[in-house]
Amino acid sequence: MARASKRDEIVAAAGRVLAREGAAGLTAAGLAREAGVSKANVFHHFETLNAVVLAAFEVFLLGMDTMAPEPGTGLRDWLLALGAETIAQMDEDPALAGAYFAFAARAQADPDLRERLAQLAQTVEDHFVASLEMLAPDDFTATERRDLAALILMTGDGLAMHRQLFPERGESQAAGWRAFVDSIVPKGQ
């Protein structure tokens, strides 16, 4: 098995620190220590600490199994699995999920960070468009796929945020996601 690159090791370390300590716990020195590299090595691979965090979030989001559905998966099954995996991720890594939302909140006051998050959101949307094209090629026009991909992203973010803030409401959150799926692909279709 090939050894991970230093860049990949730094990204993985950022994910661990964020999951363990949240956004406030991520410092350049702490990240370097966790990754087993120098601070200079961190900044050799990344322009800013924000760039490391964005790379960690990209790995986190795009690493979800449902981001690459198997051919032949039904659209309804994929959407239900996406919601279930989102809930599971929030439950398994609440600090990382919290860091994501704290980081997103910081982006409101930081135009560069906001732009980078917008690029990440676009990447996720593009994955959803590709999944919709593969799973339901004749069900939607290109414009409808793009619009639906945006809606899936926004609804998934809402599900993740509610799961983060109100974990005790898990049953209603899962029911809400199922209702969302029903509005796109009614049962029996």
Side-chain angles (χ1 to χ4, degrees):
M1 186 160 130
R3 181 170 151 80
S5 72
K6 285 290 182 201
R7 185 182 196 287
D8 292 343
E9 289 175 15
I10 293 166
V11 170
R16 290 190 303 274
V17 172
L18 288 166
R20 189 175 58 240
E21 301 174 32
L26 186 71
T27 64
L31 175 58
R33 189 171 36 260
E34 181 77 21
V37 300
S38 67
K39 281 186 358 182
N41 202 293
V42 170
F43 293 112
H44 169 76
H45 291 283
F46 294 94
E47 194 174 307
T48 65
L49 203 52
N50 283 347
V52 180
V53 174
L54 283 168
F57 288 146
E58 184 173 6
V59 167
F60 174 72
L61 293 171
L62 298 180
M64 293 175 64
D65 291 339
T66 50
M67 291 303 290
E70 293 291 323
T73 302
L75 179 57
R76 180 180 178 77
D77 291 338
W78 172 64
L79 289 168
L80 289 170
L82 184 62
E85 188 173 12
T86 298
I87 289 169
Q89 290 281 9
M90 295 300 103
D91 292 349
E92 290 169 15
D93 282 327
L96 181 59
Y100 172 75
F101 291 115
F103 201 66
R106 241 176 55 203
Q108 290 179 311
D110 183 336
D112 182 53
L113 181 56
R114 185 177 179 281
E115 177 58 32
R116 290 177 182 200
L117 277 175
Q119 291 169 0
L120 178 56
Q122 186 62 58
T123 299
V124 172
E125 253 183 58
D126 291 344
H127 273 78
F128 289 160
V129 167
S131 295
L132 290 166
E133 287 173 350
M134 180 181 71
L135 302 176
D138 302 323
D139 293 356
F140 307 103
T141 66
T143 300
E144 290 170 335
R145 274 193 297 273
R146 176 66 49 201
D147 293 346
L148 183 53
L151 180 61
I152 293 167
L153 175 61
M154 289 183 285
T155 306
D157 274 352
L159 174 63
M161 181 180 68
H162 277 260
R163 190 62 174 198
Q164 174 71 24
L165 293 172
F166 312 110
E168 71 280 1
R169 297 192 61 212
E171 199 171 301
S172 67
Q173 294 157 0
W177 184 265
R178 285 191 303 274
F180 167 68
V181 172
D182 288 345
S183 73
I184 298 167
V185 186
K187 291 179 187 173
Q189 267 192 317

